[in-house]
Amino acid sequence: MTTAPDTTPEELDAVLERAAAAAPLLAALTPGERAGLLRAVADALDGAADRLVPLAAEEAHYPEARCKGELGRTTFQLRLFAQTLEDGSYLEAAVDPADPEWGTPRPDVRRILVPLGPVVVFGASNFPFAFATAGGDSASALAAGCPVVVKAHPGHPELARATAGVVVDALTGAGAPEGSFALVEGMEAGRLAVTHPLTRAVGFTGSIPGGRALFDLAAARPEPIPFYGELGSVNPVFVTRAAMAARGEQILGGYADSAAMGSGQFCTKPGVVFLPEDADLGALVADFADRAAGPLLNDRVAEGFERGLDALSGHPATEVLVQARHTGDDWSPSLLRTDLDSLLEHADTLLEECFGPATLVVAYADERRLLEAAGVLRGQLTVTVHGEEDDPVAPALLALGASVAGRVVWNGWPTGVAVTYAMTHGGPYPATTAPLHTSVGTTAIRRFLRPVSFQSVPQSLLPRELRDDNPLGVPRRVNGAAPTV
């Protein structure tokens, strides 16, 4: 591994000055022109797969097949954002012509979304492509028309440098302004980038302590800026008695597969499952005990996992059903159990995210009491309900899920976040710092745009998207009518 020196404060200043100079030029491009930039990046990343995928496999300790699939997801979302730009509805364009009969007389008012400016992105260790250098935050910010400065993740520095090189070359070749994309390295550079006066927003995926520290810095600036952080989630699963009776074996097998996927290193890992107290856990215990050990991402993740597992397994309210086996960097999955009353009493400890291959079974006697969990569950990325359509408690459990999570899953599993128009990957704190938004799917672009209204501005001076002749063919809401081109 080649060790690069950390970015100095002077170098960071230069990077952000170039980004700030690029911002108005990038914003001035038409949506179709920015779509071309995104497709150029996607094509270049696909073309560099033979070089990038082995780097990801080496640094993240993942099989090459998984890394190849994740790279495909990354380039897919770049192309999906390109389609979103060409559609134009993301701009939320609205035209209200002057109307002297409108309640109180109104002037001509036209509204559109505009880019925020330079965005600093902190990627995740567990998704070296899809949530990292060229991942969803970078893709949605570039799509919005914002220059991007990525803080390289220390878990995969070589991959970050290689990916950034591909992105910069592709953007330059496609005609993007200089400074549209850059990489910086080092913890201090990341901190300074958040507080830098030229930074206009931050995207972050990582731990609660790290994310909260940066969020506080962003809020404490003389000019506070939006901080879009995805932090932590235990993604609870509720299994009703009827569902357990109808297909308990299938549910327990699916839970084990989801919880152990990627050695439990998914932000959507189901870390807590609520089961009837008389459920037979023999098959689940055997399943966990038979699973092979797998590597964790890096030393920091391993140390954090060990601390979290020690706290869970050493708690007087838990019973260890399957003890993890630890060999070098590899860990086999752990399975623990508690009861609903103990969980409600010790929620601060038992509902802490344990990032890695460990999960907690919560036994309940009366499924109506599951609703009490709403009082101790903090914000979640997902809540899953396994039930039957005629379950009396099912509607309330779904409502509980919607009250604390960004995505509610019915008779499925939360691992695997589809990149779609309707996806929400977010939720109340501490799942994210911005519950109104998503970091996955096409509406992720909304984080890096702000609304501006133009009042009584002459046609020739209006943004093209707001002129009467609508030369770019953008869907618009005119005088309150449903959006049309």
Side-chain angles (χ1 to χ4, degrees), residues 31-360:
E33 289 169 336
R34 288 205 300 275
L37 299 181
L38 297 183
R39 290 195 176 99
V41 172
D43 291 345
L45 290 171
D46 282 339
D50 290 347
R51 179 161 55 98
L52 299 178
V53 167
L55 276 176
E58 178 183 356
E59 291 189 316
H61 304 144
Y62 287 151
E64 285 201 5
R66 171 183 163 161
C67 295
K68 185 176 181 180
E70 189 187 326
L71 178 58
R73 170 199 172 99
T74 303
T75 57
F76 171 83
Q77 66 187 1
L78 282 162
R79 294 184 177 102
L80 185 62
F81 275 117
Q83 293 177 20
T84 300
L85 292 175
E86 290 171 337
D87 167 76
S89 59
Y90 78 97
L91 290 166
E92 299 178 13
V95 175
D96 292 334
D99 185 354
E101 304 299 325
W102 177 266
T104 56
R106 84 178 179 208
D108 185 283
V109 180
R110 302 175 185 227
R111 180 182 185 269
I112 201 171
L113 302 184
V114 302
L116 289 178
V119 172
V120 171
V121 170
F122 293 75
S125 61
N126 58 333
F127 283 91
F129 287 121
F131 284 86
T133 307
D137 285 349
S138 296
S140 53
L142 283 172
C146 299
V148 172
V149 176
V150 175
K151 190 271 182 185
H153 196 285
H156 34 79
E158 292 283 0
L159 178 65
R161 294 168 201 147
T163 303
V166 172
V167 174
V168 170
D169 288 348
L171 289 173
T172 301
E178 181 187 2
S180 294
F181 194 92
L183 186 78
V184 298
E185 299 191 51
M187 183 176 296
E188 181 65 7
R191 186 187 71 79
L192 291 176
V194 172
T195 59
H196 199 284
L198 295 178
T199 299
R200 290 292 175 262
V202 178
F204 173 90
T205 304
S207 68
I208 293 176
R212 182 55 193 257
L214 293 175
F215 172 77
D216 289 346
L217 286 175
R221 291 169 40 128
E223 180 186 358
I225 57 173
F227 184 93
Y228 301 110
E230 181 199 319
L231 308 185
S233 182
V234 297
N235 305 297
V237 177
F238 295 94
V239 182
T240 68
R241 286 190 175 277
M244 197 66 193
R247 45 196 165 83
E249 183 177 347
Q250 175 189 348
I251 291 172
L252 295 182
Y255 181 78
D257 288 341
S258 185
M261 184 181 294
S263 295
Q265 298 171 112
F266 278 56
C267 54
T268 52
K269 178 198 80 174
V272 178
V273 58
F274 294 81
L275 295 171
E277 64 179 3
D278 55 357
D280 183 354
L281 301 183
L284 185 63
V285 169
D287 191 331
F288 269 71
D290 288 344
R291 289 182 181 260
L296 298 187
L297 290 159
N298 51 57
D299 291 342
R300 175 181 286 185
V301 170
E303 291 166 3
F305 172 68
E306 193 165 6
R307 286 195 303 271
L309 181 58
D310 286 347
L312 273 178
S313 59
H315 198 283
T318 66
E319 172 191 3
V320 178
L321 300 179
V322 178
Q323 180 67 54
R325 302 182 303 279
H326 176 207
T327 306
D329 294 330
D330 294 351
W331 288 80
S332 65
S334 292
L335 183 67
L336 301 96
R337 178 170 60 187
T338 191
D339 60 77
L340 182 59
D341 285 326
S342 296
L343 182 82
L344 296 175
E345 182 178 356
H346 303 289
D348 287 348
T349 301
L350 301 185
L351 288 176
E352 280 293 313
E353 181 184 26
C354 185
F355 189 77
T359 188
L360 179 67

Side-chain angles (χ1 to χ4, degrees), residues 391-460:
D391 264 337
V393 75
L397 287 175
L398 292 171
L400 182 160
S403 72
V404 300
R407 177 163 58 108
V408 182
V409 181
W410 173 258
N411 287 349
W413 302 107
T415 39
V417 184
V419 181
T420 74
Y421 298 99
M423 177 55 65
T424 296
H425 188 60
Y429 186 85
T432 76
T433 58
L436 301 183
H437 294 281
T438 176
S439 63
V440 176
T442 56
T443 53
I445 194 175
R446 187 62 177 83
R447 297 172 297 167
F448 305 116
L449 297 162
R450 65 180 180 86
V452 174
S453 294
F454 295 85
Q455 181 172 322
S456 303
V457 175
Q459 288 287 311
S460 62

